[in-house]
Coordinates of all heavy atoms in Angstrom, one line a residue:
I116 N 23.1 7.2 3.3 CA 24.4 6.7 3.0 C 24.5 6.1 1.5 O 23.4 6.0 0.9 CB 24.8 5.5 3.9 CG1 23.9 4.3 3.8 CG2 24.8 6.0 5.4 CD1 24.2 3.2 4.8
E117 N 25.7 6.0 1.0 CA 25.8 5.5 -0.4 C 25.8 4.0 -0.4 O 26.6 3.3 0.2 CB 27.2 6.1 -0.9 CG 27.4 5.8 -2.4 CD 28.6 6.4 -2.9 OE1 29.4 7.0 -2.2 OE2 29.0 6.1 -4.1
A118 N 24.9 3.5 -1.3 CA 24.7 2.0 -1.3 C 25.9 1.2 -1.7 O 26.1 0.1 -1.1 CB 23.5 1.7 -2.2
A119 N 26.7 1.7 -2.5 CA 27.9 1.0 -3.0 C 29.1 1.1 -2.0 O 30.1 0.4 -2.2 CB 28.3 1.5 -4.4
H120 N 29.0 2.0 -1.0 CA 30.1 2.2 -0.1 C 29.5 2.3 1.4 O 29.8 3.3 2.0 CB 30.9 3.4 -0.4 CG 31.6 3.3 -1.8 ND1 32.7 2.6 -1.9 CD2 31.3 3.8 -3.0 CE1 33.1 2.6 -3.2 NE2 32.3 3.3 -3.9
L121 N 28.9 1.3 1.8 CA 28.3 1.3 3.1 C 29.3 1.4 4.2 O 29.1 2.0 5.3 CB 27.4 0.0 3.3 CG 26.3 -0.2 2.4 CD1 25.6 -1.5 2.7 CD2 25.3 1.0 2.4
E122 N 30.5 0.9 4.0 CA 31.5 0.8 5.0 C 32.0 2.3 5.4 O 32.5 2.5 6.5 CB 32.7 0.0 4.5 CG 33.6 0.7 3.4 CD 33.0 0.6 2.1 OE1 31.9 -0.1 1.9 OE2 33.6 1.2 1.1
R123 N 31.7 3.3 4.5 CA 32.2 4.6 4.8 C 31.3 5.3 5.9 O 31.8 6.0 6.7 CB 32.2 5.5 3.6 CG 33.2 5.0 2.5 CD 33.0 5.9 1.3 NE 34.0 5.6 0.2 CZ 34.1 6.2 -0.9 NH1 33.2 7.1 -1.3 NH2 35.0 5.8 -1.8
S124 N 30.0 5.0 5.8 CA 29.0 5.7 6.7 C 28.5 4.8 7.8 O 27.9 5.4 8.8 CB 27.9 6.3 5.8 OG 28.4 7.2 4.9
L125 N 28.6 3.5 7.7 CA 28.0 2.7 8.8 C 28.5 3.0 10.2 O 27.7 2.8 11.1 CB 28.1 1.2 8.4 CG 27.1 0.2 9.1 CD1 25.7 0.6 8.7 CD2 27.4 -1.2 8.6
P126 N 29.8 3.3 10.4 CA 30.2 3.7 11.8 C 29.4 4.8 12.4 O 29.1 4.8 13.5 CB 31.7 4.1 11.6 CG 32.1 3.2 10.4 CD 30.9 3.2 9.5
V127 N 29.1 5.8 11.5 CA 28.2 6.9 12.0 C 26.8 6.4 12.4 O 26.2 6.8 13.3 CB 28.1 8.0 11.0 CG1 27.2 9.1 11.5 CG2 29.5 8.6 10.8
T128 N 26.3 5.5 11.5 CA 25.0 4.8 11.8 C 25.0 4.2 13.2 O 24.0 4.3 14.0 CB 24.6 3.8 10.7 OG1 24.7 4.4 9.4 CG2 23.2 3.2 11.0
L129 N 26.1 3.5 13.5 CA 26.1 2.8 14.9 C 26.2 3.9 16.0 O 25.6 3.6 17.0 CB 27.4 2.0 14.9 CG 27.5 0.8 13.9 CD1 28.8 0.0 14.1 CD2 26.3 -0.1 14.1
Q130 N 26.8 5.0 15.7 CA 26.8 6.1 16.7 C 25.4 6.6 16.9 O 24.9 6.9 18.0 CB 27.7 7.2 16.3 CG 29.2 6.9 16.5 CD 30.0 8.1 16.2 OE1 30.1 8.5 15.1 NE2 30.8 8.6 17.2

Side-chain angles (χ1 to χ4, degrees):
I116 63 181
E117 187 178 356
H120 294 283
L121 300 180
E122 72 283 356
R123 294 178 178 176
S124 299
L125 202 59
V127 176
T128 306
L129 297 180
Q130 284 183 298

